[in-house]
Amino acid sequence: MDHNYADTVLDLHDIALLLNYERASTEPRFRHAKLREVASPGDFKTVRLLTPAWTEAGAIPRVGFIFDKPLKPTRAEKDEPDLPTNMLPASPSADLRKLTPKELETYFWQARNHDGCYRTVTLLQHFIDLFPEFTRVRVRTVENNTPRSYTTLANERLIVEMKLANPRSLSMSCVLPVNTTYITGGEPTMDHAVLGFSAPGSDIDTILDLSSLQFGDVGRGHKGRSLFVLEPVSQYLDRLNKYAERHNYYQAKISIRINDALDNEWLKEVALRTKLRWHNRVTDPWCGHCGAPSRGEPLKRCSKCQNAYYCNGDHQHAAWTFHKHFCNEPKAKNRLSLKTPSS
Ligand SMILES: [Zn+2]
Ligand SMILES: [Zn+2]
């Protein structure tokens, strides 16, 4: 969070953290669902699935998830956000207990990002629609270990819709007992939509892909750690080659606005909650890796800049490769030194 910009400039990286957290923690398709089983690469043990996309996808890397979603959440569950850390059932199987926190985090996001690209593009549109017309946004990226930052109009973002041919992996989530199945990479071609940003006067130079984790760990952002992608186009093109055998980025459809996506009313609520959290950013900070607010215990503070917060050491570690490029001296101290004449 950069308090220098106060209310006038949105920080795209921070907004992305908040939008993703508010979206994933309340996703209707997986609300209150607990992970029952992960199948990779073999078949499920607890259910027999006959979905052809799954049974016939022997050749490419595949991972499948079975979730149990309560038909009616208990009162205690109702307001509880869904998180990677509470995705396991009360008595997990031995296989589930072996999963690392990072694996749980990947699977959590992989499931919530099925068909996620149009939802996330629409969500950002709803969010920006809540601000005045000439609201500016600060875009921060790191390329070849060099940080870059520019400010542009939020309304000048573009929607980039492309085709990916022969996805390199398949993932499937099956939600019981309703038995709804979501698949990523099950067709020879898939649509993928992301957001494009550009410094004033130039072509699209930066991509924001909020549903990148649908492709698993290759969709992790900066240095393979973060939970969304915000990076220069050149890096994003390399990434597309990991998603699929071919892409048509250079023939992508570019547009200014998009029609409402599935779950539109819920996405509007997510946008409103995100706006409130952005507004309260000084009093209620969030984790610089996962976007979580403090829940009971205060978040840990970056000891160098005092201006970034984290749930725990793991999340601080995950965010550090990006944050270190923007971890400046404490702002309060700078101001103090301006007032105090050096003797
Ligand atoms: Zn966190
Ligand atoms: Zn810092």
Side-chain angles (χ1 to χ4, degrees):
M1 284 175 283
D2 193 330
H3 299 168
N4 282 340
Y5 285 104
D7 286 316
T8 51
V9 180
L10 302 169
D11 182 280
L12 189 59
H13 189 269
D14 276 319
I15 293 306
L17 282 170
L18 291 178
L19 287 172
N20 256 8
Y21 176 90
E22 292 297 327
R23 172 175 66 91
S25 62
T26 60
E27 238 276 5
R29 297 176 294 173
F30 296 92
R31 193 72 180 105
H32 307 298
K34 299 295 176 197
L35 185 63
R36 181 202 293 195
E37 192 189 346
V38 180
S40 175
D43 277 311
F44 294 101
K45 293 175 194 159
T46 62
V47 286
R48 198 166 134 75
L49 276 190
L50 301 172
T51 313
W54 174 255
T55 53
E56 289 163 20
I60 58 173
R62 58 173 196 168
V63 61
F65 313 107
I66 301 290
F67 288 94
D68 291 302
K69 186 181 176 203
L71 291 173
K72 205 167 183 267
T74 64
R75 263 177 93 163
E77 281 174 332
K78 238 176 160 222
D79 297 322
E80 192 65 7
D82 293 326
L83 302 168
T85 47
N86 65 15
M87 188 172 60
L88 293 184
S91 326
S93 67
D95 287 341
L96 289 180
R97 283 200 302 270
K98 277 186 227 151
L99 297 174
T100 64
K102 190 182 172 190
E103 285 170 325
L104 280 171
E105 186 181 63
T106 301
Y107 297 161
F108 174 89
W109 284 96
Q110 210 160 4
R112 271 127 190 113
N113 283 339
H114 288 299
D115 307 315
C117 64
Y118 283 97
R119 282 184 176 84
T120 55
V121 164
T122 307
L123 174 58
L124 190 97
Q125 180 167 298
H126 288 326
F127 176 76
I128 290 177
D129 283 350
L130 297 170
F131 289 84
E133 189 184 351
F134 295 106
T135 296
R136 289 177 300 153
V137 62
R138 188 162 81 119
V139 178
R140 291 186 285 144
T141 53
V142 176
E143 187 167 24
N144 301 326
N145 266 327
T146 308
R148 180 178 185 222
S149 163
Y150 63 82
T151 300
T152 183
L153 287 177
N155 269 325
E156 293 203 341
R157 81 215 177 265
L158 293 166
I159 296 148
V160 181
E161 292 174 75
M162 62 197 125
K163 301 253 182 235
L164 303 180
N166 299 340
R168 294 191 193 276
S169 64
L170 178 136
S171 64
M172 184 191 69
S173 298
C174 178
V175 183
L176 299 176
V178 265
N179 201 5
T180 319
T181 300
Y182 307 100
I183 297 173
T184 300
E187 302 284 335
T189 62
M190 64 185 284
D191 294 319
H192 194 52
V194 296
L195 290 144
F197 290 82
S198 47
S202 61
D203 289 337
I204 293 174
D205 53 42
T206 304
I207 297 292
L208 175 64
D209 182 351
L210 290 173
S211 72
S212 55
L213 260 286
Q214 68 181 294
F215 301 100
D217 278 332
V218 297
R220 281 185 180 258
H222 191 66
K223 302 270 183 191
R225 295 189 186 184
S226 66
L227 300 173
F228 57 86
V229 167
L230 176 60
E231 65 190 8
V233 167
S234 57
Q235 279 175 39
Y236 193 71
L237 292 174
D238 289 343
R239 183 182 296 279
L240 286 176
N241 292 324
K242 295 178 190 160
Y243 289 177
E245 283 176 20
R246 289 190 310 284
H247 64 80
N248 71 341
Y249 178 85
Y250 291 109
Q251 290 82 43
K253 181 184 161 199
I254 309 286
S255 49
I256 295 165
R257 289 192 71 82
I258 194 158
N259 292 329
D260 294 343
L262 294 161
D263 296 327
N264 198 42
E265 290 311 308
W266 162 69
L267 290 171
K268 284 185 176 163
E269 288 168 27
V270 173
L272 278 169
R273 285 203 306 275
T274 304
K275 188 190 181 195
L276 187 66
R277 290 189 64 192
W278 173 254
H279 185 75
N280 295 336
R281 61 195 176 280
V282 176
T283 48
D284 300 320
W286 49 83
C287 172
H289 173 64
C290 73
S294 138
R295 297 172 68 226
E297 284 195 23
L299 299 169
K300 293 180 193 312
R301 218 170 180 175
C302 175
S303 58
K304 283 198 175 141
C305 67
Q306 306 283 319
N307 204 27
Y309 297 79
Y310 301 98
C311 298
N312 51 46
D314 279 356
H315 284 192
Q316 177 163 28
H317 179 74
W320 177 246
T321 52
F322 183 79
H323 176 65
K324 70 177 181 188
H325 296 286
F326 302 95
C327 176
N328 305 314
E329 284 294 297
K331 303 230 156 43
K333 207 171 149 191
N334 288 345
R335 258 181 256 128
L336 201 66
S337 62
L338 282 175
K339 279 183 203 155
T340 317
S342 52
S343 49

